[in-house]
Amino acid sequence: MAATGQNLAVVVHRAGDLRLENRPIPEPGPNEVLLRMHSVGICGSDVHYWQHGRIGDFVVKDPMVLGHEASGTVIKVGAGVTHLKPGDRVAIEPGVPRETDEFCKTGRYNLSPTIFFCATPPDDGNLCRYYKHSASYCYKLPDNVTFEEGALIEPLSVGIHACKRAGVTLGSRVFVRPIGLVNVIIAKMMGAAAVVVTDLSASRLQTAKELGADFTIQIKNETPQEVAAKVESLLGCMPEITVECTGVQACIQASIYATRSGGTLVLVGLGPEMVTVPIVNAAVREVDIRGIFRYCNTWPVAISLLASKRINIKPLVTHRFPLEKALEAFETTKRGEGVKIMLKCDPTDQNP
């Protein structure tokens, strides 16, 4: 198999400046593979880099290829690669440690301060025709798992990591705020007895119900305490576990008030560096507050779940665009339409 044609890529140059441009086809190193990209999902972080040129301390200083929810086909392997071959379909884990530091040695490589991560400045992402990546972080897809499911393993991994950090288990009652659809799917799969979801959007709440949420609450102008009271009323008790997916101050406040004494709150969403929260309320009720940063050791688990059909994430994809229409796809995402928008990077294969 050979790389042919041009390497069309979606590149952010600065805040508000998103372009489609051709880049050289890369050559894989000894422990890398060259991939013909197939499906790449648009993440909220991609839109944020486009709109604002930065996320926290990560600032776009040079043109950067976007995209990190991805799958593709191996077309060339480096000399040291033995577990993959041309023609293999793979899902890509976007975070690759650059060194074997103390975090890698303890299995928490996502916390390595020098980690490479697709589409996080200054590292290029994979929203392009051809892309090279560490072979160790490319995972072969079973025949019954589609490219799009492979690309969705990235957001699915956030849900897996969050629910593991939260300790979701048989019988757990879980509050997800706001929608965090992958967290709903994983919490139910891990045995949660009841999951309640809040959101502003009625259509997204309907999707949550279809994916397994037991209760939904459409938020209007309620105070954090009122939201917590509604959650308790629906569940018949306060939830042991809350998964907060926005980083918005009022949402974090509601999550603390809602969580049962002795329970766990996991913060998934990233908002402002400083927020005001009822920390004494959490402290005196022994509510554990845990952060998550991306994920680690989740791709094999996710692939097993998809291959065994224990979970169904196909309904998450609501829109598809060819790579040539990427700018239109980003505008659609910015408007908040649909759930997951997928870009199809292989002009010869636009199938899921």
Side-chain angles (χ1 to χ4, degrees):
M1 303 179 75
T4 58
Q6 296 179 316
N7 188 18
L8 191 64
V10 179
V11 183
V12 60
H13 284 251
R14 63 187 67 83
D17 187 359
L18 187 66
R19 309 180 194 177
L20 268 172
E21 55 190 43
N22 284 304
R23 292 206 158 192
I25 295 174
E27 188 67 23
N31 298 309
E32 296 177 324
V33 292
L34 178 63
L35 303 168
R36 178 186 293 117
M37 301 306 297
H38 186 282
S39 297
V40 182
I42 299 178
C43 176
S45 65
D46 294 318
V47 175
H48 203 278
Y49 280 123
W50 163 40
Q51 290 294 294
H52 304 283
R54 68 184 300 157
I55 295 178
D57 294 332
F58 296 106
V59 181
V60 177
K61 297 177 180 177
D62 299 300
M64 179 183 76
V65 179
L66 291 175
H68 61 269
E69 304 177 1
S71 62
T73 302
V74 176
I75 58 173
K76 190 173 184 179
V77 301
V81 178
T82 58
H83 71 289
L84 293 172
K85 64 183 185 304
D88 284 345
R89 301 161 58 253
V90 297
I92 302 163
E93 181 172 1
V96 180
R98 287 188 167 97
E99 57 184 316
T100 307
D101 59 16
E102 58 181 309
F103 299 103
C104 293
K105 290 175 182 176
T106 57
R108 302 182 74 178
Y109 55 88
N110 58 311
L111 302 180
S112 174
T114 60
I115 195 169
F116 166 92
F117 197 88
C118 292
T120 297
D123 302 326
D124 281 324
N126 44 35
L127 189 40
C128 49
R129 292 252 193 264
Y130 299 102
Y131 170 74
K132 70 173 183 178
H133 198 69
S134 168
S136 295
Y137 291 81
C138 292
Y139 300 84
K140 191 171 179 179
L141 292 173
D143 291 341
N144 67 338
V145 177
T146 68
F147 279 112
E148 287 186 356
E149 289 177 298
L152 288 169
I153 289 174
E154 196 279 339
L156 187 64
S157 287
V158 176
I160 293 172
H161 192 52
C163 288
K164 286 171 70 175
R165 290 273 290 156
V168 177
T169 188
L170 294 173
S172 296
R173 284 154 295 197
V174 182
F175 172 32
V176 179
R177 176 178 175 88
I179 205 138
L181 293 172
V182 291
N183 293 285
V184 174
I185 294 169
I186 295 300
K188 294 297 288 186
M189 190 281 306
M190 292 176 72
V195 175
V196 59
V197 179
T198 61
D199 200 82
L200 297 169
S201 165
S203 63
R204 289 177 68 84
L205 288 172
Q206 179 58 36
T207 302
K209 289 282 283 187
E210 293 167 1
L211 291 171
D214 299 283
F215 306 102
T216 60
I217 302 172
Q218 186 172 5
I219 299 299
K220 295 183 175 66
N221 299 308
E222 294 88 348
T223 66
Q225 292 94 332
E226 288 170 342
V227 171
K230 284 191 172 186
V231 171
E232 182 176 6
S233 175
L234 272 179
L235 285 176
C237 62
M238 298 172 77
E240 300 99 335
I241 292 165
T242 299
V243 181
E244 204 296 300
C245 302
T246 66
V248 174
Q249 179 172 287
C251 295
I252 299 173
Q253 293 170 351
S255 298
I256 290 174
Y257 289 132
T259 306
R260 180 180 177 178
S261 297
T264 301
L265 163 61
V266 173
L267 302 177
V268 177
L270 299 178
E273 182 179 2
M274 294 291 182
V275 294
T276 300
V277 297
I279 198 67
V280 172
N281 179 285
V284 300
R285 297 193 302 109
E286 296 190 7
V287 173
D288 292 345
I289 300 175
R290 297 185 177 185
I292 73 160
F293 187 61
R294 298 170 179 158
Y295 32 67
C296 58
N297 307 304
T298 53
W299 258 252
V301 173
I303 290 172
S304 294
L305 290 173
L306 292 168
S308 65
K309 305 304 177 187
R310 289 288 305 280
I311 59 174
N312 178 22
I313 58 175
K314 291 179 180 179
L316 293 176
V317 180
T318 54
H319 294 67
R320 296 174 178 86
F321 291 84
L323 182 59
E324 294 84 352
K325 293 187 177 180
L327 302 186
E328 181 183 341
F330 269 76
E331 290 287 354
T332 304
T333 306
K334 188 179 78 167
R335 290 193 298 269
E337 296 181 19
V339 179
K340 178 57 64 179
I341 292 178
M342 197 68 66
L343 282 160
K344 313 304 287 186
C345 301
D346 185 348
T348 68
D349 182 8
Q350 302 281 297
N351 294 313

